[in-house]
């Protein structure tokens, strides 16, 4: 296509308008084929490509015969490639920004669902009475049961996590789910989990704003979340466009995103939990993880250093002497999203205090720039037990080419990335893996999402 575009310019300069028109027409066909492939999320097939490449090649040979001036061709192609690179770079930045905006926004259908559920919560007193009855259930602190925690303000996503975990469990009645959400989503989350069937599993929903112990005097990260400069960095109108868009994701200013560092305080009577992000789907029975030997470690997680990017030095600033003196830059990173936490070992090792220490050290944001993972890599350093890769397969929110065999063998698949399964920009190939666990018979889902 690039070569053909160069010959379009040369043909026009030599007043060969018919050839220029023929080349332009074939280029448009190429672009249409690429667009269709991108839309369906699959590679172009050989059968699709063969005819169009053959006809375009014939035209290029024709152009070479008609205008074969090597010096002119080289100069034209050089200027054309330079202009093309500039346009590509600009389009890439723009596409990333638009993708980030879409990923951050709550779709209208999910907003509708939340509004309808919240309305039920406010108007129907029996729901609130039922919550009070369930609040003191002995099951929520019974260490003979299997406990899972999810921190989210997305009702539908959280329901998929719970449904998929229950659907693939051998004994659903032995599962307890602890959901923590914010004040805005609390009512809608309660109504959804009170009015749907979960095969005898226990579901507890808590409001993060009722955690009086979680305040700025205890958690330094809250000071940063309230800091005007930090908020301007993420939400300000005049943002430095040179900064990578993902560094400005407002989720990094969400206390729900940092609540994972306070799990022992949220559940002081529990001994072990599995932490699940709200953009995962569970495909196997996870209860075997509770009997897994963590060898005295706090965190069981899948390592991600099969690629060089996921080494410590890629997340953390090793030019700082405090970092370089305490950590190995080649240490392997690991994934949040499906983690087994031994809370007894956590309390013994005082991991939350470690987290507070590194947050204070990063007051000027010179040790790391974004997210919950970099401080976690520091706080859990030397305390993480590697799990088999099949327990947690990542990338379904950005990678279109994950092997089906790997997906099918995975206990948990993770839609990390901007292409979340509840968004229109989701990767079509993976979306059914998420949608199968939605209760599509719920009248509000039919009103808000299907219609």
């Amino acid at each position: 296509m690039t070569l053909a575009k160069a010959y379009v310019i040369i043909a026009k300069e030599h007043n060969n308008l018919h050839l220029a028109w023929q080349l332009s027409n074939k280029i448009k066909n190429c672009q249409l084929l690429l667009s269709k492939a991108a839309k369906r999320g699959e590679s172009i097939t050989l059968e699709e490509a063969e005819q169009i490449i053959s006809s375009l090649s014939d035209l290029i040979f024709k152009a070479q015969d008609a205008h074969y001036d090597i010096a002119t061709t080289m100069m034209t192609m050089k200027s054309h490639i330079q202009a093309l690179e500039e346009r590509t770079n600009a389009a890439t930045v723009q596409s990333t920004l638009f993708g980030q905006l879409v990923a951050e926004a709550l779709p209208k259908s999910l907003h509708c669902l939340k509004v309808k559920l919240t309305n039920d919560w406010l108007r129907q007193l029996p729901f609130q009475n039922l919550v009070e009855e369930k609040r003191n259930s002995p099951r929520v602190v019974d260490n003979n049961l299997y406990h899972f925690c999810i921190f989210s303000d997305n009702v539908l996503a959280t329901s998929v996590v719970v449904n998929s975990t229950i659907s693939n469990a051998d004994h659903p009645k032995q599962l307890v789910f602890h959901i923590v959400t914010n004040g805005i989503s609390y009512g809608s989350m309660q109504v959804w989990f009170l009015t749907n069937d979960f095969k005898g599993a226990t579901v507890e929903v808590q409001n993060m704003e009722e955690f009086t112990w979680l305040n700025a005097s205890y958690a330094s990260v809250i000071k940063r979340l309230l800091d005007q400069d930090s908020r301007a960095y993420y939400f300000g109108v005049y943002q430095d466009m040179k900064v990578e868009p993902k560094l400005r994701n407002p989720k990094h200013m969400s206390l729900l995103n940092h609540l994972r560092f306070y799990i022992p305080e949220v559940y002081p009577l529990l001994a072990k939990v599995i932490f699940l992000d709200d953009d995962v789907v569970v495909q196997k029975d996870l209860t075997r993880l509770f009997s897994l030997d963590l060898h005295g470690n706090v965190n069981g997680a899948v390592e991600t250093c099969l690629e060089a990017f996921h080494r410590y030095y890629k997340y953390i600033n090793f030019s700082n002497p405090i970092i370089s003196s305490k950590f190995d830059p080649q240490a392997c990173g690991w994934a949040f999203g499906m983690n087994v936490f031994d809370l007894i070992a956590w309390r013994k090792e005082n991991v939350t205090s470690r987290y507070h220490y590194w947050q204070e050290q990063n007051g000027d944001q010179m040790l790391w720039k974004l997210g919950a993972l970099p401080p976690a890599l520091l706080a859990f350093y030397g305390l993480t037990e590697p799990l088999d890769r099949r327990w947690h397969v990542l990338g379904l929110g950005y990678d279109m080419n994950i092997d089906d065999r790997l997906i099918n063998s995975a206990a948990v698949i993770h839609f990390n990335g901007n292409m979340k399964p509840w968004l229109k920009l989701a990767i079509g190939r993976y979306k059914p893996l998420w949608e199968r666990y939605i209760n599509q018979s719920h009248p509000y889902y039919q009103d808000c999402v299907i219609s």
Side-chain angles (χ1 to χ4, degrees):
M1 282 173 63
T2 302
L3 188 60
K5 287 177 181 178
Y7 277 114
V8 167
I9 297 169
I10 295 171
K12 286 180 178 179
E13 288 175 350
H14 288 76
N15 207 30
N16 193 340
L17 301 182
H18 181 67
L19 178 59
W21 176 83
Q22 287 180 302
L23 287 165
S24 297
N25 191 46
K26 292 299 180 185
I27 290 168
K28 287 178 182 177
N29 290 340
C30 286
Q31 291 169 333
L32 182 61
L33 182 58
L34 288 169
S35 178
K36 287 180 178 178
K39 189 174 181 180
R40 71 185 183 221
E42 296 177 1
S43 301
I44 296 170
T45 64
L46 183 62
E47 291 75 17
E48 290 174 316
E50 191 169 16
Q51 183 179 356
I52 198 165
I53 289 174
S54 176
S55 58
L56 188 58
S57 298
D58 289 341
L59 282 174
I60 288 172
F61 282 122
K62 184 178 177 181
Q64 288 176 340
D65 288 339
H67 307 293
Y68 198 79
D69 178 348
I70 190 65
T72 302
T73 303
M74 286 179 66
M75 289 297 294
T76 303
M77 284 197 68
K78 185 176 180 181
S79 61
H80 186 68
I81 289 170
Q82 185 176 354
L84 199 62
E85 286 177 347
E86 290 175 358
R87 287 170 59 191
T88 301
N89 291 336
T92 300
V93 171
Q94 190 177 51
S95 175
T96 305
L97 285 169
F98 287 159
Q100 190 71 50
L101 287 171
V102 173
E104 292 165 10
L106 181 69
K108 185 168 66 173
S109 57
L110 297 190
H111 178 70
C112 165
L113 181 66
K114 182 183 284 190
V115 169
K116 285 180 177 288
L117 292 168
T118 302
N119 186 53
D120 282 354
W121 172 254
L122 296 173
R123 293 178 63 182
Q124 299 188 36
L125 190 61
F127 283 135
Q128 300 182 30
N129 293 336
L130 192 56
V131 168
E132 289 302 318
E133 291 175 17
K134 290 189 172 186
R135 192 185 295 272
N136 298 317
S137 169
R139 289 174 58 85
V140 299
V141 293
D142 186 349
N143 282 302
N144 293 313
L145 301 176
Y146 303 108
H147 295 268
F148 300 83
C149 59
I150 308 160
F151 305 148
S152 174
D153 59 357
N154 187 324
V155 176
L156 203 59
T158 304
S159 74
V160 168
V161 179
V162 173
N163 281 337
S164 63
T165 307
I166 290 170
S167 298
N168 292 287
D170 293 335
H171 305 287
K173 291 182 180 179
Q174 296 181 12
L175 308 186
V176 180
F177 294 89
H178 304 268
I179 300 167
V180 179
T181 189
N182 56 29
I184 295 173
S185 303
Y186 177 69
S188 59
M189 198 78 78
Q190 283 284 17
V191 172
W192 182 269
F193 285 99
L194 287 170
T195 56
N196 283 281
D197 176 45
F198 298 100
K199 298 182 180 180
T202 298
V203 181
E204 173 196 39
V205 179
Q206 293 177 277
N207 184 352
M208 177 182 63
E209 292 172 18
E210 294 178 1
F211 299 161
T212 55
W213 51 267
L214 190 60
N215 51 57
S217 62
Y218 173 61
S220 58
V221 68
I222 296 180
K223 297 176 186 175
R224 185 170 303 158
L225 299 183
L226 296 174
D227 180 70
Q228 291 302 315
D229 289 340
S230 295
R231 299 192 69 80
Y233 179 84
Y234 289 102
F235 299 109
V237 176
Y238 304 106
Q239 297 181 351
D240 184 358
M241 299 305 291
K242 295 179 181 178
V243 177
E244 196 173 351
K246 71 177 182 178
L247 296 180
R248 296 194 181 279
N249 192 332
K251 79 172 185 178
H252 304 307
M253 294 296 290
S254 166
L255 188 53
L256 274 175
N257 194 47
H258 294 268
L259 194 60
R260 63 193 70 191
F261 294 100
Y262 300 95
I263 292 175
E265 284 89 341
V266 178
Y267 311 111
L269 299 179
L270 295 184
K272 185 174 283 189
V273 300
I274 289 179
F275 169 79
L276 296 171
D277 266 336
D278 66 0
D279 54 353
V280 306
V281 171
V282 176
Q283 301 188 132
K284 311 284 185 196
D285 186 3
L286 297 185
T287 57
R288 285 196 299 121
L289 285 169
F290 286 87
S291 59
L292 200 67
D293 186 0
L294 296 182
H295 301 100
N297 287 310
V298 176
N299 173 30
V302 169
E303 292 184 328
T304 54
C305 56
L306 292 175
E307 302 172 26
F309 176 79
H310 296 106
R311 301 284 177 177
Y312 266 51
Y313 74 92
K314 287 291 186 178
Y315 294 100
I316 302 160
N317 179 14
F318 272 84
S319 66
N320 187 294
I322 300 175
I323 296 294
S324 58
S325 64
K326 293 179 181 291
F327 301 96
D328 177 7
Q330 293 296 330
C332 192
W334 46 267
F336 260 136
M338 195 292 295
N339 305 80
V340 188
F341 289 127
D342 183 333
L343 301 185
I344 295 173
W346 183 315
R347 296 178 187 106
K348 180 182 176 182
E349 297 293 342
N350 222 350
V351 173
T352 302
S353 293
R354 291 187 181 196
Y355 167 71
H356 285 165
Y357 171 78
W358 289 114
Q359 283 288 0
E360 290 167 3
Q361 293 298 312
N362 193 42
D364 56 1
Q365 297 189 21
M366 294 302 291
L367 299 186
W368 70 87
K369 289 294 184 186
L370 79 161
L373 185 56
L377 295 176
L378 302 179
F380 289 98
Y381 186 70
L383 299 173
T384 298
E385 180 71 15
L387 302 181
D388 187 294
R389 186 188 179 196
R390 289 170 295 180
W391 280 112
H392 185 191
V393 169
L394 298 106
L396 280 78
Y398 67 88
D399 187 350
M400 297 184 182
N401 300 305
I402 302 173
D403 193 314
D404 284 333
R405 293 169 296 180
L406 183 59
I407 292 174
N408 293 334
S409 68
V412 173
I413 51 175
H414 196 163
F415 290 81
N416 57 309
N418 281 342
M419 298 178 180
K420 301 298 185 192
W422 54 84
L423 300 175
K424 287 185 177 180
L425 52 70
I427 298 172
R429 178 181 156 220
Y430 306 138
K431 195 167 184 177
L433 300 171
W434 184 82
E435 289 180 326
R436 71 175 68 165
Y437 293 108
I438 297 174
N439 178 10
Q440 299 189 15
S441 64
H442 195 287
Y444 290 169
Y445 180 82
Q446 292 182 341
D447 288 346
C448 293
V449 181
I450 295 177
S451 60

